[in-house]
Amino acid sequence: MKIPAIAAFLLVLSPQLFAQNVITGRVADAETGESLPAANIQIMDTYRGTITNMEGFFELPVETLPVTLIVRYIGYATMNIPVEKAGEPVEVMMQPVTIDMDEVVVTGEDPALSIMERVIVRKQMWRKDLATYTAEAYTRQRLENDEGIVSITESVSRVHWDRDRGTREVLMSRRQTNNLAESQNFAGAGYLPNLYDDDIDIAGYRIVGVTHPDALKFYDFKLEGLRNIDDQVIYDIRVIPKRKLQPVFEGTVSVLAGEYALLEVDLKPGPAVMFPPPVKRIDLHYRQQFSNFGGDPWLPVDMRIEGLIDIGFIGLQIPTIKIAQISGLTDYRINVELPDSLYRVERMLVVDTLSTMSGKSLEELGQPLPLTLAEKIAYEEVDSTKTLEEAFRPTGFLAGMVTTGDDEPRQRSGLGRFSSGFEPVLWYNRVDAFHLGAGYETPRWKGLRARASVGYSTGSEDWAYGGQLGYSSPVNGFFGTGRTRFETGYRNNTATIGETGTYSMSVAGILPLFGTRDYYDYFRNEQVWFGMEQRVRRLRSTISLRINHEIHSGTEQTTSYSIPGGYIQPENPVIEGGTLRSAEIRLNVGDTPVPFGVVGQNNLQITVEHSDPDLFGGNFDFTRYSLNAAARIPTFYKRRLIPNALDLQLMAGTYSGELPVQRFATVDGSMGIFRPFGTLRSLTNRPVMAPQYAFLFWEHNFRTIPFEALGMYGVARRGLGLVVHGASGRTWQNGESGMHRYAAPDGYYHEAGLSLNGIFGILRLDATLRLDEPGFTAGIGLTRFF
């Protein structure tokens, strides 16, 4: 972005930079003396103004005096206040005006429907002539816990709106409490909703606005009362969701009669706007006022957001987060030409470095709202020791597993990596018995990283060992930035027959240890490899080339030990040993794969491995092709944060030549009661293996919609949803031997089932019926979060 051009543009649009006079005052009810928060104050014959804070106070910079202030508050007589000089606070005491409902005769259809129809038509008339605007904005965000204010952030900015190009916000100054760095100040007005829009984006939901052209299909409107402003009637209308499963608002709107324009709205998202665990509740109210400033378009004057967020699940609870935000918009310029430099970057919020580095305060660069007494005290008392991590530290028996930024480093238990770089390598199977080992990975240094591992198997009495060295470097090319990585390594260990990416040997070892058939078969592999990988971020793709030199040999069963005892493991099959030399190329496009199907994916992986004795030497002659693809297709309720979706995963492969069983494909079954997506759920404790195969896994996630449709909102708010799943596939054995105990030659496989998703926020219960032959299983998996 060209900051000098932006800065010059802002100087022209920011008369407050030259304002020498500041009018201060208070607005209150003349009869009760109570303060009137968010009272609308405008300088006559201008687009400049402000609103009062929660205590009724206001500050308004002006270029020259005298001026006349127009003070409006619905239900009160508008007042024109001449101000000759600044310095002496202005006390504005407003007289309430009442009007009786008896003046409205309701017969048949509620008049609110025809009123809102006119509001929608009028909006379409003036909106078509509104191409751009720019406005000065002040924003203040406040976070609280049960003990009081935790942090305050403020900003002064210039908001620019273009009908075709969207919104941009240029930040000129910001201020925050001492426990926050400037980089943690996210106060801004550009991303706040304009509740007059057709569609309003809030927290990932596209909510139907109350003035959407089809609003009457989504809302019922009910006239609740009348008020008065400037001798004009104000209709107070209740907004009632008509479609319970679509993201809509509920609350009230106030419509100015005659103009048929929204003056004020008080809305909150309806029941369909809910969030998955661990979010338990988000309860936010949005209040906004509008003014035409004497012209045609009705523009936001402010945005006030108040509410709370509860996050937690069994064993862990974060203290309730209370949110309060207020933004004031003023000094509108309508249908002005906006600099193209504003839209040369994709970021909505940019920083005017000339203004932020000038050292000028918020008051010098903009028009902040007065702080409340509690906020003034917070600025004095909240210091750098009162961090957000401390204010919202989790409680519960799982809280010790959560680390925060001010925690000391600590070791992680179990099989995870230690903070020192060491990692235990443990497994159990019928060939190795107990394998005890460890690995160490060095920190990255100038792009270099090394890893070494060693272990001993008590059954085979063999050692396993290996090491690898990698180097990576960022690159810039025709397709943008990326990263090139080189890697070489050696290892000599027990390997699984057939390739799988679902279950590690450590996880698979649980089955034989507890008296169930060993999931894998094994062989001994001594391997040296060299590879390179090129990643292109812009294309979201990675291509890699790898050269393998492997020496394969058979290995025998050594034990049938299990904790419960009594189960005799089958013999480990004999393989065709020899030297395998191959070149492998792999293309990955799209999302980085996430295990166990916990999130939706869109990616493609194509692998080709070629082994040719005439070209590379060795004993094996084959070419192997495999394809793995995943797709997420949104289906219903696309306005929601996470719409209903169909998830697909395709696994297919074939070969030419003579493929050794070591390179057969593995399509995994369930592991005990654990049944993740991408596995054959009704096939327990064994995989399907074949040289040629094609399988399609699918599931449609209806999320919480079925329970909401039945009115079971308590169940839906706990994040429970329904998933329909299934799989179909076929294997072609082509007379290959050695693997037929896993799948019959030319075998078909079909299954379908139903899942209850979101149990305790992290689990799902699956029931699956085998369709090509009798069979039924039930088990658990990880929740599909997104």
Side-chain angles (χ1 to χ4, degrees):
M1 158 173 278
K2 302 217 180 259
I3 294 298
I6 297 296
F9 180 68
L10 293 175
L11 287 175
V12 174
L13 295 179
S14 302
Q16 72 277 4
L17 294 175
F18 310 103
Q20 301 296 322
N21 306 294
V22 178
I23 302 172
T24 62
R26 176 175 176 266
V27 180
D29 185 302
E31 295 182 357
T32 65
E34 294 182 357
S35 299
L36 297 179
N40 192 341
I41 303 164
Q42 179 187 344
I43 301 174
M44 183 178 288
D45 299 324
T46 75
Y47 280 95
R48 290 191 57 77
T50 188
I51 61 173
T52 57
N53 70 5
M54 295 302 295
E55 296 173 344
F57 292 100
F58 70 91
E59 294 179 358
L60 181 57
V62 295
E63 295 180 63
T64 60
L65 290 170
V67 297
T68 299
L69 302 183
I70 304 174
V71 185
R72 292 188 177 92
Y73 202 90
I74 296 178
Y76 291 79
T78 297
M79 299 182 67
N80 294 339
I81 308 295
V83 179
E84 301 289 338
K85 61 180 180 178
E88 185 174 335
V90 178
E91 191 80 4
V92 182
M93 307 302 291
M94 304 192 72
Q95 292 290 340
V97 177
T98 59
I99 188 168
D100 296 328
M101 268 294 280
D102 293 342
E103 298 182 26
V104 179
V105 178
V106 178
T107 59
E109 182 180 73
D110 195 298
L113 296 174
S114 62
I115 293 170
M116 290 305 299
E117 281 182 325
R118 293 189 181 186
V119 171
I120 293 169
V121 171
R122 287 289 183 93
K123 176 187 129 177
Q124 292 172 339
M125 293 172 62
W126 57 258
R127 264 291 174 101
K128 66 182 177 61
D129 296 323
L130 181 63
T132 66
Y133 67 72
T134 179
E136 177 195 314
Y138 165 77
T139 301
R140 178 160 67 235
Q141 294 176 338
R142 190 177 72 237
L143 293 182
E144 301 180 28
N145 59 14
D146 291 336
E147 298 179 359
I149 295 177
V150 172
S151 69
I152 301 173
T153 56
E154 300 175 87
S155 73
V156 167
S157 60
R158 195 84 198 177
V159 175
H160 309 275
W161 177 83
D162 185 289
R163 181 170 55 202
D164 299 321
R165 296 183 290 181
T167 302
R168 293 292 186 269
E169 182 175 13
V170 180
L171 184 67
M172 296 189 294
S173 182
R174 50 190 170 189
R175 179 171 63 194
Q176 57 279 327
T177 46
N178 292 325
N179 59 340
L180 297 179
E182 192 173 80
S183 61
Q184 296 174 293
N185 186 336
F186 300 107
Y191 59 86
L192 295 176
N194 178 353
L195 298 179
Y196 226 131
D197 284 343
D198 292 346
D199 298 294
I200 294 98
D201 294 321
I202 295 179
Y205 282 86
R206 172 149 285 200
I207 302 179
V208 181
V210 294
T211 61
H212 190 283
D214 295 324
L216 297 184
K217 297 179 181 178
F218 292 85
Y219 295 100
D220 282 325
F221 296 102
K222 179 181 179 182
L223 183 62
E224 288 206 328
L226 302 176
R227 288 184 289 171
N228 184 284
I229 189 170
D230 299 340
D231 297 324
Q232 291 181 287
V233 172
I234 305 296
Y235 300 113
D236 288 329
I237 296 173
R238 172 66 57 184
V239 178
I240 304 168
K242 182 182 290 186
R243 296 192 181 181
K244 302 295 185 181
L245 303 181
Q246 292 286 1
V248 292
F249 288 109
E250 58 186 15
T252 60
V253 299
S254 298
V255 176
L256 178 63
E259 292 283 345
Y260 289 99
L262 296 181
L263 271 187
E264 186 176 32
V265 299
D266 183 353
L267 301 170
K268 71 173 185 177
V273 179
M274 58 182 65
F275 299 86
V279 177
K280 298 168 64 176
R281 176 176 58 153
I282 295 183
D283 187 8
L284 297 177
H285 280 259
Y286 295 81
R287 297 178 177 89
Q288 194 167 42
Q289 299 180 87
F290 304 92
S291 175
N292 66 351
F293 298 94
D296 291 326
W298 288 81
L299 303 167
V301 172
D302 63 358
M303 168 54 74
R304 289 158 286 146
I305 304 173
E306 292 184 350
L308 51 85
I309 301 175
D310 278 326
I311 301 174
F313 50 84
I314 294 175
L316 189 142
Q317 177 66 48
I318 293 176
T320 297
I321 303 171
K322 300 177 183 178
I323 298 173
Q325 176 163 330
I326 185 168
S327 292
L329 295 101
T330 184
D331 192 29
Y332 275 97
R333 307 295 172 92
I334 306 300
N335 292 331
V336 296
E337 185 176 352
L338 302 181
D340 291 335
S341 54
L342 283 169
Y343 293 91
R344 288 179 186 152
V345 293
E346 295 182 1
R347 298 191 311 274
M348 190 195 71
L349 177 66
V350 295
V351 178
D352 175 10
T353 54
L354 293 181
S355 295
T356 56
M357 295 176 63
S358 68
K360 293 184 178 180
S361 66
L362 287 175
E363 289 76 12
E364 292 175 294
L365 290 172
Q367 186 176 306
L369 298 176
L371 297 171
T372 65
L373 178 60
E375 290 166 342
K376 292 177 181 178
I377 293 173
Y379 262 112
E380 294 176 358
E381 296 184 351
V382 175
D383 58 30
S384 59
T385 65
K386 298 179 180 179
T387 64
L388 297 184
E389 290 85 358
E390 185 63 34
F392 299 107
R393 184 176 294 276
T395 59
F397 64 85
L398 295 178
M401 299 176 62
V402 179
T403 60
T404 60
D406 55 354
D407 288 332
E408 292 294 325
R410 62 187 70 171
Q411 286 188 339
R412 292 163 55 189
S413 61
L415 300 181
R417 184 181 303 278
F418 288 84
S419 58
S420 63
F422 280 100
E423 178 183 18
V425 180
L426 309 172
W427 66 67
Y428 176 80
N429 59 53
R430 70 187 190 278
V431 169
D432 292 324
F434 289 100
H435 177 88
L436 310 174
Y440 176 77
E441 184 172 309
T442 65
R444 188 182 300 276
W445 178 75
K446 294 186 177 180
L448 289 170
R449 177 166 287 182
R451 175 180 169 80
S453 63
V454 64
Y456 180 75
S457 299
T458 61
S460 62
E461 299 183 351
D462 287 328
W463 287 90
Y465 42 87
Q468 62 192 66
L469 178 67
Y471 172 77
S472 63
S473 174
V475 295
N476 292 307
F478 178 77
F479 294 107
T481 60
R483 181 169 290 275
T484 300
R485 186 165 68 94
F486 299 90
E487 182 181 277
T488 185
Y490 168 84
R491 60 173 168 245
N492 188 340
N493 61 357
T494 300
T496 62
I497 294 178
E499 294 197 338
T500 177
T502 305
Y503 307 121
S504 67
M505 289 178 63
S506 297
V507 172
I510 297 173
L511 294 180
L513 192 58
F514 285 89
T516 304
R517 189 201 186 284
D518 202 338
Y519 188 82
Y520 292 122
D521 292 326
Y522 306 91
F523 71 103
R524 189 75 180 184
N525 188 12
E526 184 176 9
Q527 178 184 23
V528 178
W529 75 91
F530 174 80
M532 66 171 297
E533 177 183 278
Q534 178 64 52
R535 179 183 179 190
V536 183
R537 288 197 180 101
R538 179 179 296 179
L539 300 180
R540 301 180 65 218
S541 64
T542 301
I543 186 168
S544 60
L545 173 65
R546 177 165 163 154
I547 306 299
N548 299 301
H549 172 82
E550 305 177 24
I551 300 175
H552 297 179
S553 58
T555 184
E556 297 180 352
Q557 174 195 356
T558 64
T559 183
S560 286
Y561 171 79
S562 65
I563 293 175
Y567 184 83
I568 304 300
Q569 294 287 347
E571 293 293 327
N572 193 58
V574 177
I575 68 162
E576 179 185 356
T579 300
L580 189 155
R581 294 174 179 166
S582 68
E584 178 180 290
I585 187 168
R586 177 171 295 175
L587 173 66
N588 291 280
V589 181
D591 299 329
T592 301
V594 176
F596 305 136
V598 295
V599 297
Q601 301 268 277
N602 289 284
N603 55 42
L604 171 69
Q605 181 185 92
I606 300 174
T607 304
V608 178
E609 183 184 16
H610 180 64
S611 177
D612 185 345
D614 295 332
L615 184 62
F616 302 116
N619 305 115
F620 300 96
D621 185 2
F622 66 88
T623 303
R624 179 176 61 94
Y625 312 89
S626 67
L627 180 146
N628 287 277
R632 156 67 61 86
I633 304 172
T635 53
F636 313 119
Y637 302 99
K638 297 179 182 180
R639 287 178 168 273
R640 289 188 168 222
L641 169 65
I642 310 176
N644 288 189
L646 175 65
D647 288 287
L648 302 172
Q649 183 171 338
L650 175 65
M651 302 172 62
T654 187
Y655 74 102
S656 61
E658 298 182 3
L659 189 69
V661 294
Q662 301 92 292
R663 287 297 200 261
F664 275 28
T666 298
V667 180
D668 285 298
S670 62
M671 180 75 68
I673 63 170
F674 183 53
R675 290 164 163 78
F677 179 67
T679 65
L680 298 169
R681 290 184 170 97
S682 61
L683 190 66
T684 304
N685 296 340
R686 61 190 179 99
V688 168
M689 299 183 68
Q692 291 181 298
Y693 62 100
F695 279 83
L696 178 66
F697 300 89
W698 60 269
E699 63 181 35
H700 189 275
N701 195 338
F702 290 96
R703 306 200 186 279
T704 59
I705 292 294
F707 296 114
E708 293 177 53
L710 294 172
M712 302 170 65
Y713 288 102
V715 174
R717 290 191 183 97
R718 290 182 174 89
L720 295 176
L722 292 181
V723 178
V724 177
H725 65 260
S728 293
R730 182 183 179 184
T731 61
W732 293 267
Q733 295 290 343
N734 293 344
E736 302 289 346
S737 61
M739 294 295 109
H740 289 181
R741 63 185 173 279
Y742 289 121
D746 299 332
Y748 287 90
Y749 195 98
H750 304 286
E751 66 179 23
L754 182 68
S755 303
L756 180 63
N757 193 47
I759 300 172
F760 304 122
I762 58 174
L763 299 176
R764 56 185 281 174
L765 178 63
D766 301 310
T768 309
L769 180 67
R770 182 81 177 260
L771 301 179
D772 58 300
E773 63 180 52
F776 175 81
T777 60
I780 62 172
L782 295 178
T783 288
R784 183 174 283 277
F785 291 100
F786 304 108

